[in-house]
Amino acid sequence: MDATCLALVTLLTPLVSAAVIALFLRRQGTLASALSVLAAAVVAVGALTLAFGGARFTNSIEWLKLGNFTLSLGFKFDDLAALMLSIVGVVGLCVHVFSLGYMHDDASKARYFGGLSIFMFSMIGIVLADNLFMIFIFWELVGFSSYVLINHYHEKQSASDASKKAFIVNRVGDFGFILGIVMCYWSNGTVSLTELGAGHNVYSTLIPLLLFCGAVGKSAQMPLQVWLPDAMEGPTPVSALIHAATMVAAGIFMLCRINVLMVPDALTVIMWVGAITAFYASLCAITQSDIKKVLAYSTLSQLGYMVAAFGLGSVEHLDEATRTVVTLSAGVGAAMFHLTTHAFFKALLFLGSGSVIYGCHHEQDIFKMGGLKKKMPFTFVTFTIGVAAICGLPFLSGFFSKDAILHLAQEKNTGIFVILAATAILTAFYMVRMWKLVFLGEPRSHEAGHAHEGGLSMTIPLFILAALALVGGYAGHFFNLYGHAFEGVWSQIPFAEGAEPFVTSILFLVVGAGAALMFYKSAATDTLEQKAPSLFGLLAFVKGAPDMAYDWYVAKVQQRFALVLEFIERIFLSGLIIRGLSGVVGLIGIGARALHVGSLHAYVYWFLFGAALLWAYASGWSF
């Protein structure tokens, strides 16, 4: 089987799985779950085979032609696509296997696994797409998949509201995205990624910023970040796959795809949006009591890190071998590096939280946990690895990817470096806070006191992801572990090999983690809320302010504008235009009917009057 056929099989397998489940297995959850997991395994094998097999190719066919406009569907499989496809395949399979245990007793697990399959199809489509229109098609399918899976527990009002919120907020960003695609086609005559990469493009600030709107929505950047914390209403494995490791990372991947269209002003805007989002989300995480929402705000923060890294753009680097200065697209390399490591340790953390929630009989409040180190030792060890990785413990993958971003920020922009450094300290602070409250001390509830580990289907994925979160230290040669499979991405990262450890990043870890360990007590109440209620209230207000602002806008601006439009519609459209014209027509009808008097003499007079008008018109008289 050649590479193109293998890519097609990898793409279509989950679609076939979703179709079979929807048509034949809606009431057979066990068979549906087995089929979906089998499809995920095929995707993982296909993705890794393509990535490490060395094949890199482009292939497309014409699908639609309207005048001069041609829409093609095709594959662009380069190192960037190979890396992203590997992440989707490996994490997707781990989540599918974990779901076998987590969703074992769910009455609607056939619908759940069908949703996972259609998501895998949609996400792979984004990764393999060779043009922006094709990306947008699968982009919307990913949004649909997210809506369905967030709304899995649709009988809960909160889940229903969260799914609608995610759908609407993402449509706002997608509106800007489609405008950017149209403007790109109008300006350059193509949206093919290969043709755009060849250069000779029309460069403007507006095109990349409009395209960035899609990433703002999908990757939950400010001001469209409000949907992601609420999306935690979906099942925990969904949070791990869609809202931590893959779908939300699609915005970063798309930015890297359109890097050739970037201009300095657009990169500056993107850089600041990412940095502000990273810092804001880290502040919000400090006051959270729901274990999944702590991780949700952590995801927001880390996505901001990636966006800021991309926005930092190119950097001049001295090649020691040739003693020449070369320019690297460091933003792409650093962003994708952190996307890769984050996908593994954040999926580990979410699945670990799922193991905790499952073991504690679906309790999610971290202040009602405690003592789980002894009750769930395997989950404790793997979760601790995830926490250490995201905090940036040396020789774990997260340390090296965050280190690359901090190096880049220090090189390019001092202000951004300060913000990202503060975010790194806060990340260590709130993650260690959560870790201590969940696992240390004594159980603080009946559920925590009777917690237990899940079965093999839940522990094996934790082991695999923990191993991947450990990858990255070992002599400091992270990239050699992958050979040269993704050289086109790794080679763009500054300080990738041979750099001295960034001592300040270790200091950030020590300050943040040490403060959390000393400050927080393993208690049923929040220590910060008790000792500094004003600060706690301020942080809670910061967290809720965007939602309050949107609520005010909808109630006071949008709703009133809608009422004005309704008034105009009733008075002018329905009243004057429709009913008014119908009245005029009615009057004409009444007048016409009045002419039918049944008198021959009257008809003769009207005939003569009409004949006179016709004669006058034929004679050329002007009225």
Side-chain angles (χ1 to χ4, degrees), residues 575-586:
L576 293 179
I577 298 177
I578 297 177
R579 294 180 182 175
L581 287 178
S582 69
V584 171
V585 172

Side-chain angles (χ1 to χ4, degrees), residues 57 143 203 294 598:
F57 58 90
Y203 294 99
V294 175

